[in-house]
Amino acid sequence: MKIHEFQSKEIFSRYSIPVTAEKVCYTTDEVLSAVQSLGMPVVIKAQVHAGGRGKAGGVKLAKTIEEAREAANKILGMDIKGYTVKKVLVAQGVKFNAEFYVGLTIDRNSKTVVFMASSEGGVEIEEVAKENPAAIHKFSIDPDLGMTSFLARKIAFKLFSDFSLVKQAVDLFQKLYQIFMDTDASLVEINPLVITDEGKLLALDAKMNFDDNAMYRQSAIEKLNEPTEDEKKEISAKESGLTYIRLDGSIGCMVNGAGLAMATMDVIKHFGGSPANFLDIGGSSNPQKVIEAMNLLLADKNVKVIMINIFGGITRCDDVARGLIVALDEMKVDIPIVIRLSGTNAEEGLRIIAERNLPTVNSLSDAAQLAIKLCENCSEN
Ligand code: GDP
Ligand code: MN
């Protein structure tokens, strides 16, 4: 889960990490009144869940009211990597000479939190990582010891030689680590971290991502969630006991069991098709669940054919077949459906399906190939 820069900075402030004075605005008028209270110059920054806003034109310095108006008009409503800008942050403009990068993330190889630091921060940090990786210092943090002042000092000396800055950095790094741990973050980043004219460290930007699986114990963070349209569907699917993840393909899949759902997508890919989604409807034969699953698939305009793959273990295939029939009777489905039933009482299940003149197949390979064939047919029409 991602949050906005202004929300990350609110968390930073709570841990007394210095950030710029700023205000979130939704309209140009709000920007202009924020400018009155903050004073000139200001920086106007798009608040979207995407990085590289600066390069995309979503961060603008304004020295006059007129420039602020122009920047606000330009940035509000702008599209950045598929996100429409609905709000901007108006921040007090700051003068600085150098941009530093600091960030914390989880390194799955070392199975620790790593702290990254570089004196080559700024909008080109991705290029630095690619072309000059040695310029980014990395430190594993021992989970038992945490960010000790010894380690924080060692990192700080990589960036600064001035003692006052090192002292501020040690304090800042320890706080950042505390934030990372306290909020179940998967990423905490300041880019750029700058030195003001008064010689103070200041977080000019802030970025935080979180572990979705920890949100059950992070209710304050979870409240900040702004799901995309696709994520909204995934959340509502979850509420009705379905696990749904949208993909870009054209074959809508409905499967009982997560492992089988993965295998189904693999087999579709293997035969040259493309799955439109991952969908695990779980172990029940409840028609209501099938209806909800079907509605999810039908709502996706990319779906040209539906492939239902059920393996009956404890769930009996004849029960599932009856559930499917009830569901299909209740709704209008105007795209082809392929049904594969296998396992307990599969024969009875297939007989029930065949009675309704729905195409049935015996193997997963046959199902995938038939779905791909039907899909080609429907795209030709
Ligand atoms: P990002 O591109 O999404 O990472 O957005 P940032 O908030 O990091 O802004 C991009 C760049 O704009 C920064 O690296 C700075 O160079 C510049 N910038 C941001 N805020 C200020 C500011 O207050 N003063 C000045 N002079 N430049 C700023
Ligand atoms: Mn940045």
Side-chain angles (χ1 to χ4, degrees), residues 10 23 41 57 93 100 128 148 166 180 199 227 244 277 324 327 332 341 367:
E10 277 165 19
K23 209 164 181 305
F100 298 87
V128 174
T148 59
V166 169
F180 188 92
Y244 172 77
N277 62 278
L324 274 173
K332 191 174 151 287
L341 294 175

Side-chain angles (χ1 to χ4, degrees), residues 5 43 45 50-55 59 61 92-96 99 122-123 191-192 204-205:
E5 171 189 1
V43 178
K45 310 170 89 176
R53 297 163 303 165
K55 279 189 168 174
V59 176
L61 183 73
Q92 224 159 39
V94 176
K95 268 204 285 177
F96 54 85
E99 295 180 284
V123 295
N191 184 35
L204 221 52
D205 188 11

Side-chain angles (χ1 to χ4, degrees), residues 231-244:
E231 285 164 352
K232 275 184 202 158
K233 276 189 203 152
E234 289 166 13
I235 292 166
S236 85
K238 202 170 202 167
E239 281 160 7
S240 28
L242 308 167
T243 309
Y244 172 77

Side-chain angles (χ1 to χ4, degrees), residues 219-275:
S219 55
I221 305 280
E222 197 179 24
K223 282 198 192 93
L224 306 176
N225 196 15
E226 282 176 24
T228 59
E229 288 311 308
D230 279 352
E231 285 164 352
K232 275 184 202 158
K233 276 189 203 152
E234 289 166 13
I235 292 166
S236 85
K238 202 170 202 167
E239 281 160 7
S240 28
L242 308 167
T243 309
Y244 172 77
I245 293 161
R246 185 164 182 258
L247 305 165
D248 315 321
S250 45
I251 301 178
C253 309
M254 189 194 301
V255 188
N256 67 334
L260 189 60
M262 296 296 283
T264 304
M265 299 194 303
D266 283 350
V267 173
I268 291 172
K269 278 271 182 196
H270 174 76
F271 286 110
S274 58

Side-chain angles (χ1 to χ4, degrees), residues 367-379:
Q369 289 174 85
L370 181 59
I372 292 166
K373 190 168 148 247
L374 289 169
C375 193
E376 280 163 2
N377 291 347
C378 59
S379 62

Side-chain angles (χ1 to χ4, degrees), residues 4-24:
H4 293 294
E5 171 189 1
F6 77 91
Q7 295 165 328
S8 304
K9 283 176 168 172
E10 277 165 19
I11 297 175
F12 282 16
S13 294
R14 256 179 266 144
Y15 285 75
S16 48
I17 290 178
V19 296
T20 37
E22 54 199 23
K23 209 164 181 305
V24 186

